[in-house]
Amino acid sequence: MWREYVREVTPYTPGEQPGGADVIKLNTNENPYPPCSGVARALKEFDCEALRRYPDPAVSKLRGAIASYHNLDMGNVFVGVGSDDVIAMCYMTFFNSDKPILFPDITYSFYDVWADEFKVPFTVKALNDDFRINKSDYYVENGGVIIPNPNAPTGIAEPVEFFEDILNHNRDSIVIIDEAYVDFGASSCIELLSKYDNLIVVRTFSKSRSMAGSRIGYALASEEIITALHNVKYSYNSYTMDSVTIKLGVEAIKDEKYFRDNLDKVICTRNWTRDRLNELGFQVFDSSANFLFVKPSGISAKALFEKLKERNIYVRYFNKPRIDNYLRISIGTDSEMQALIEAIAEII
């Protein structure tokens, strides 16, 4: 009888995590460069005696560092175990009406998984034929809005004014802008926080700060919103972030020069790869992220995905309507992208 009461959901499918030293892994949008040297130093010097005690449930040191970086107060910062955890907390905290939440039909595929998990009604809004968001689709009554900028898997970004217009049409709903990839070329909506008390900006250390293995995400919002998030967190799991991660996160945000230099390298490699794929006849979307969304030429996306995999080169293929002939390619090092282009040229 217990089987009748099991919550059944269709789970999110993460990118493959292949092993082996000879693998070129371009399928999960990880940063190809290591974190700043301060992270390595903090890890080496960490006092394991601290592990016998619970971590700070308020994560004050990391929240303080993030607040200082963005010129905000600590009361405007919520942290979680990756931005996935932060967004899940937002769903539990704010998406509790009978009205559907809204998000694009082609976007981060966890959004509908969380909606199913937390029994949140939702309506997807179709991107146009150029895979761009129609802002007027979000002028309707709703229980909340969540949109990534840049969008994923397309990498297409919109200006701040675009999202301010959506905010102006949704003063009675929480609007979440998921800025996981914003550092790679898009404009942030953080400047709108002082004007809109219903705005939540979500960010992560996983991409631009090379910290995917530590799982650090955060939300920036009004103090009222952050308080509500903390109330839910403390009622669910007070100790969501471990002591080691807190220490490393503080160090990761300190080295601004290293951070900017890494961004420049990824962007430069992204643009080089875009140009090479264009030369091979691919359709390549203008990306403001650390990946490219492409339609192959002379071969189906699925076939190219499989043939690259045979060569130990992993990219992301989505067997979904409208995008089943496209690939998402994360930006690796210069040598990795050179190997990718050579392999594609041989295949096609």
Side-chain angles (χ1 to χ4, degrees):
M1 291 291 291
W2 61 267
R3 291 181 178 86
E4 295 181 19
Y5 308 108
V6 174
R7 175 168 292 184
E8 295 183 0
V9 296
T10 302
Y12 170 76
T13 303
E16 296 175 79
Q17 297 289 344
D22 59 341
V23 168
I24 297 178
K25 189 170 178 291
L26 307 174
N27 65 332
T28 51
N29 298 342
E30 295 150 329
N31 198 307
Y33 303 107
C36 66
S37 59
V39 171
R41 183 172 59 252
L43 187 60
K44 183 178 180 180
E45 296 174 354
F46 185 82
D47 182 5
C48 289
E49 170 71 11
L51 294 181
R52 69 183 181 85
R53 298 188 182 277
Y54 285 108
D56 172 19
V59 200
S60 300
K61 289 184 178 179
L62 180 55
R63 288 173 59 218
I66 293 170
S68 178
Y69 182 80
H70 290 296
N71 295 314
L72 296 170
D73 294 328
M74 191 166 71
N76 300 121
V77 181
F78 175 87
V79 299
V81 186
S83 58
D84 289 343
D85 179 47
V86 173
I87 296 172
M89 288 290 178
C90 289
Y91 270 57
M92 285 193 284
T93 306
F94 302 110
F95 294 163
N96 296 298
S97 77
D98 295 329
K99 302 171 187 176
I101 65 169
L102 310 177
F103 49 83
D105 65 332
I106 298 171
T107 193
Y108 185 31
S109 51
F110 232 136
Y111 295 162
D112 59 343
V113 172
W114 285 315
D116 287 339
E117 176 76 14
F118 301 125
K119 307 302 181 185
V120 175
F122 68 94
T123 300
V124 296
K125 296 296 183 178
L127 301 184
N128 66 22
D129 291 340
D130 295 323
F131 291 126
R132 301 190 82 100
I133 295 167
N134 296 301
K135 62 182 180 180
S136 59
D137 287 342
Y138 298 86
Y139 294 172
V140 298
E141 189 175 11
N142 61 73
V145 174
I146 180 166
I147 301 174
N149 190 47
N151 196 10
T154 65
I156 297 173
E158 301 293 349
V160 173
E161 295 78 19
F162 179 95
F163 295 100
E164 182 163 21
D165 186 66
I166 291 176
L167 281 159
N168 278 322
H169 284 84
N170 289 278
R171 300 308 295 265
D172 296 326
S173 301
I174 289 292
V175 176
I176 302 173
I177 307 300
D178 182 356
E179 295 188 345
Y181 302 99
V182 73
D183 292 322
F184 296 101
S187 297
S188 175
C189 288
I190 291 175
E191 65 183 68
L192 300 178
L193 288 172
S194 61
K195 296 174 63 177
Y196 299 92
D197 61 2
N198 60 324
L199 170 64
I200 303 175
V201 175
V202 176
R203 289 189 157 206
T204 178
F205 280 41
S206 296
K207 315 301 182 183
S208 56
R209 295 195 182 274
S210 306
M211 296 282 284
S214 280
R215 313 305 301 125
I216 301 173
Y218 61 98
L220 305 174
S222 69
E223 191 167 346
E224 182 180 7
I225 281 178
I226 299 303
T227 298
L229 283 169
H230 277 132
N231 289 342
V232 171
K233 171 194 169 179
Y234 295 146
S235 302
Y236 175 72
N237 182 357
S238 297
Y239 303 102
T240 55
M241 185 166 288
D242 65 85
S243 300
V244 178
T245 299
I246 294 171
K247 178 93 173 162
L248 301 187
V250 171
E251 293 301 319
I253 207 166
K254 287 181 178 179
D255 196 334
E256 183 70 7
K257 183 180 185 307
Y258 181 83
F259 172 63
R260 295 295 168 187
D261 287 347
N262 261 2
L263 291 179
D264 289 343
K265 286 194 291 186
V266 171
I267 292 169
C268 183
T269 306
R270 180 190 71 201
N271 294 341
W272 179 89
T273 306
R274 175 202 62 203
D275 294 343
R276 301 293 81 74
L277 290 171
N278 277 326
E279 290 170 359
L280 291 170
F282 281 42
Q283 180 185 5
V284 185
F285 288 82
D286 189 18
S287 174
S288 296
N290 67 334
F291 58 83
L292 293 171
F293 190 59
V294 307
K295 184 177 183 180
S297 174
I299 187 173
S300 72
K302 184 177 182 181
L304 181 56
F305 162 75
E306 291 171 346
K307 289 183 179 295
L308 286 171
K309 192 172 176 180
E310 291 171 2
R311 291 165 166 79
N312 275 339
I313 300 176
Y314 286 74
V315 298
R316 192 71 188 268
Y317 171 70
F318 299 94
N319 187 19
K320 293 183 175 183
R322 297 186 68 191
I323 59 171
D324 59 355
N325 201 27
Y326 294 83
L327 297 174
R328 191 195 68 194
I329 302 173
S330 304
I331 301 303
T333 62
D334 288 345
S335 60
E336 287 174 332
M337 304 316 289
Q338 179 70 46
L340 169 75
I341 294 300
E342 291 175 358
I344 291 175
E346 290 175 4
I347 291 169
I348 66 173

